[in-house]
Each structure stands twice: as structure tokens, then as C-alpha cells.
Amino acid sequence: MSGYRLHDGAALVAALVAPFLVALALVPFRTSLTAANAALVMVVVVVAVAASGTRAAGALAALSAAVWYDFFLIEPYQRFTIADEGDLGTSVLLLAVGLIVSQLAVRARRMRDVAASGSAHLATLRAAARFAEDSPSPEALVEHVRVELIGLLGLRGCRFEAGSGAGPRPRMQHDGGLWLDDGGRLVEYVTWPDGETELPVVGAGRSRGRFLLDPFPDRPVPAEEDRLVAVALAALAGAALGSAGLSRKG
């Protein structure tokens, strides 16, 4: 999470500084550049910031671009004043286009991130399925899933506990929700609860145990997609344990 905060902070700084630097660099050419061409250059800067930042950074970059375009690139220079109506219209369009394009750029970046995340999740499930096919024992698959859960959910640790649990614990449900059933009173979590959270492992219609998830304190609960993949991994481990139990009985 600190990495995300640093990235977002850097994007906001870039949103303030990049339009200023580009407008300043265009000062020697402002007499030969048309207002429209200068505005297009500033829009490119907004898109660059928005594509690598957040929606707030994109909006701030659009506002910064409009301000420094007015200050450096249209007459009267070095004043926050617009004398020509045409230049005023260009400034307003620069701000509007910058805002719109920044939103589109942020949306495209998020769609790219979602696609990349989906590919990573698919690769995780395929690797686990392949391991299940080649695994020498259900216990080896359980260990593989345990390690995958630590990376997938950003955990401090994780352990597998066979048999029935002792006392109520927060539980990651089959739909990815994180709940605690405390005597009929349901509590839903948006940040990891204190202590361990259980992820049930069920196979052949019976409980085979649980993964006990040990998160870092005060961390937000992972994205729903991550939690659903975790549930699928636990189900794969449960299927292997259930099949082994049936084989031994047979």
C-alpha cells in the first residue's frame, strides 16, 4: 500500500510540475506557434500524466495545463489575463478536453490493469491445477496452495489446520466475503480483522480443515477477484484431500 501512495503522490507532483515545465519550454517558440498548436501540446502532457496516474492527477494536470498555457503562451504574457476572445475559447477548450481525455486515459489504464490482473489470476489457477495433476500427495498440493495464498492475498503468513476449528473466527466465505458469525450477529470486514482469518477447505462434502490467514495489521481486505481466486485454490486443495480420503476408504 505504501507503494501505491508513493505512486499517487508522484503522479500529483507530475500533474503540477509537468505542464509548467512544458509551457516554459515552449516560451521561445510562442510567437511562431498558433494558440491551437500550443494547446494541443499541453493536451499531450495531460494525457501522459493521466495515463500513469489517477483520476485526480489527470484533473489536476488539465487545470495546471490551462493555467500555464494562459500565463506563458498567450498574450498578454506572464499575466493571468486573456485579452482575445479566441484565446479565451481555446483556453476553455484546453481545460475541457484535458479533463475529458484524462478521464479516458485513466479508464483505459484501469482496464489494462484489470486485464493484467485477470491474466495473472488465470495463470495462478492453471499452475495450481497442473500441480494437482502432478502432485505426489494431497499434502504437497496443500503446501503449494498455502504458499500461493500468501502471495495472492499479501499475507504475513498462512498455515493449514486439519480437523474442526476451535471457537468462532472471521471467515472468508465461498463468495469471497469476509464475515464473522458471532452468535448470530454477522460482522462484515473491509480491513483485515485482528488475528487469523479462516478459509474453509471442503472436499467430498466434508470439511477437511482450513487455511488460517495471518494478514499484516490494518491492511484493507484484498480485491474481490483476489479473494475469489483464494477460494478456488482452497476448493482445489479440498478436492484433493477429499479424493484421497475416498481412495483410502475404498
Side-chain angles (χ1 to χ4, degrees), residues 197-239:
T197 296
E198 69 175 35
L199 174 58
V201 176
V202 178
R206 289 177 49 195
S207 173
R208 302 293 169 174
R210 63 207 40 78
F211 288 104
L212 295 174
L213 315 176
D214 182 19
F216 290 96
D218 301 322
R219 293 285 181 89
V221 170
E224 182 181 12
E225 293 81 5
D226 296 333
R227 287 178 273 135
L228 289 174
V229 172
V231 170
L233 289 172
L236 191 61

Side-chain angles (χ1 to χ4, degrees), residues 109-121:
R109 182 177 65 84
R110 288 184 175 175
M111 291 178 64
R112 184 185 68 237
D113 291 345
V114 168
S117 176
S119 297
H121 289 155

